[in-house]
Amino acid sequence: MRRATAVLVTTGALLTVSPLAAPAQAATAPSVTAKGAFMLNNATGATVYSKGADTKRQMASTTKIMTAAVVLSTSGVDLNRKVTVKQAYRDYVTAQGASTADLKTGDKVTVRQLLYGTMLPSGCDAAYALADAFGTGTTVSARKTSFISKMNAKAKSLGLTNTKFDSFDGISTTGNNYTTPRDLAKIARYAMKNSNFRAVVKATSYKSTATTSTGGTRTYTWYNTNKLLGSYSGAIGIKTGTGTSAGPCLVFAATRGTKTLVGVVLNSTTVTDRYNDAGKMLNYGFGTSTTTTMKLRTLPSGAQQD
């Protein structure tokens, strides 16, 4: 989630995904660097791959999957509702050294734009804006607390007993923002049921305009930090995350034919390894029998890294 950790990324790196025997059910499950990993069949929920699936771990910015899910599951949610950007959102990312959508104070942006700003560049300012807009209370602090309570309530409604949120973006001051690979895959599977969520996390980039405080027009362009998109055939999402305690994380999904797989890697060895881990897990799930060389999509200079 923090820009400072982005130095681990090697843009355009070549990753070799180990060849697997066919058919899939006869293949040997791959070894991954991540301390925790899990993958399920999206249609049935059946387990496809598991490593330390029920061990609680920090999840960094993959937290934002639940942030988006809570917003999109709000009764009568209006994605065209305008939200005015507050200076507090910018001050927050500056203080935390966090990834940002670089929202400008006074701009009027839509909820839809905030979702893209949260999920693509991993904007903690955009996530803050959503928490402020969809929480209840008379102060910003109260609304943030309310929104996080909604995140925990949603986790409970999904039957998740090993997940807790104390943050709307993954920046935890107490360490009580954790999940397990199995729980996080279930959260992702739930979120992917929403067509608007699927559209957001599948996009490699997003460009839109907003009205400024003086009535002018500002253009925002965001690039998806998830380099699996455009690199692994069939990839359709979902979210990166990187933190000091969490390590490099990735929640991913891919579709080939009629089969969709949703997976999680928590605390991979390096940022690049999380993509290699995901590629090996997906190849295993799809029964890919040939060696695949995956060249990671290159992000433009200045784009956020997560």
Side-chain angles (χ1 to χ4, degrees):
M1 71 195 160
R2 299 178 184 274
R3 263 186 96 105
T5 58
V7 292
L8 295 173
V9 174
T10 304
T11 1
L14 290 176
L15 300 115
T16 302
V17 180
S18 302
L20 301 169
Q25 59 270 27
T28 301
S31 173
V32 299
T33 69
K35 291 181 180 177
F38 188 80
M39 190 167 66
L40 54 77
N41 183 306
N42 187 61
T44 65
T47 299
V48 178
Y49 182 90
S50 180
K51 175 185 176 181
D54 300 308
T55 300
K56 297 174 184 176
R57 297 189 180 281
Q58 296 289 310
M59 59 183 128
S61 282
T62 63
T63 296
K64 292 166 183 164
I65 296 170
M66 183 60 97
T67 303
V70 167
V71 169
L72 288 168
S73 64
T74 300
S75 179
V77 62
D78 178 6
L79 298 185
N80 295 316
R81 169 188 170 188
K82 295 287 183 69
V83 175
T84 301
V85 177
K86 297 177 181 177
Q87 182 63 34
Y89 310 156
R90 292 183 59 86
D91 291 343
Y92 172 75
V93 295
T94 299
Q96 297 293 335
S99 49
T100 176
D102 198 21
L103 300 176
K104 302 300 184 182
T105 303
D107 282 7
K108 293 176 175 59
V109 294
T110 65
V111 170
R112 188 188 308 276
Q113 289 173 314
L114 288 174
L115 287 167
Y116 277 95
T118 296
M119 300 302 287
L120 270 64
S122 200
C124 294
D125 47 352
Y128 193 151
L130 289 173
D132 191 18
F134 285 85
T136 56
T138 56
T139 66
V140 173
S141 179
R143 290 190 290 273
K144 284 192 298 181
T145 300
S146 164
F147 187 82
I148 293 167
S149 293
K150 291 182 180 183
M151 295 169 71
N152 283 310
K154 179 62 70 176
K156 185 176 180 180
S157 73
L158 294 175
L160 309 180
T161 58
N162 292 315
T163 295
K164 183 176 181 180
F165 298 100
D166 71 355
S167 161
F168 54 79
D169 60 359
I171 298 177
S172 174
T173 57
T174 67
N176 287 319
N177 196 84
Y178 57 80
T179 189
T180 65
R182 188 190 307 274
D183 276 10
L184 190 50
K186 290 179 178 179
I187 292 171
R189 184 188 181 210
Y190 166 77
M192 290 291 278
K193 292 178 180 179
N194 185 286
S195 60
N196 288 303
F197 182 87
R198 293 197 303 273
V200 170
V201 300
K202 188 178 182 179
T204 54
S205 65
Y206 182 74
K207 185 176 183 178
S208 63
T209 58
T211 304
T212 67
S213 59
T214 58
T217 300
R218 191 187 317 279
T219 300
Y220 285 100
T221 303
W222 296 308
Y223 299 93
N224 202 322
T225 60
N226 178 10
K227 293 184 180 182
L228 201 68
L229 295 170
S231 303
Y232 186 89
S233 177
I236 56 173
I238 298 176
K239 185 72 187 76
T240 57
T242 308
T244 303
S245 299
C249 305
L250 181 67
V251 180
F252 56 92
T255 298
R256 289 189 178 178
T258 59
K259 189 175 188 178
T260 297
L261 299 171
V262 175
V264 172
V265 290
L266 295 180
N267 206 334
S268 284
T269 305
T270 68
V271 169
T272 300
D273 280 338
R274 67 183 172 187
Y275 296 112
N276 198 23
D277 286 346
K280 289 191 286 186
M281 289 166 64
L282 287 168
N283 274 5
Y284 172 67
F286 287 127
T288 300
S289 59
T290 56
T291 300
T292 302
T293 299
M294 183 169 63
K295 185 175 183 179
L296 290 181
R297 177 171 54 90
T298 302
L299 295 179
S301 174
Q304 293 291 294
Q305 307 277 0
D306 182 23

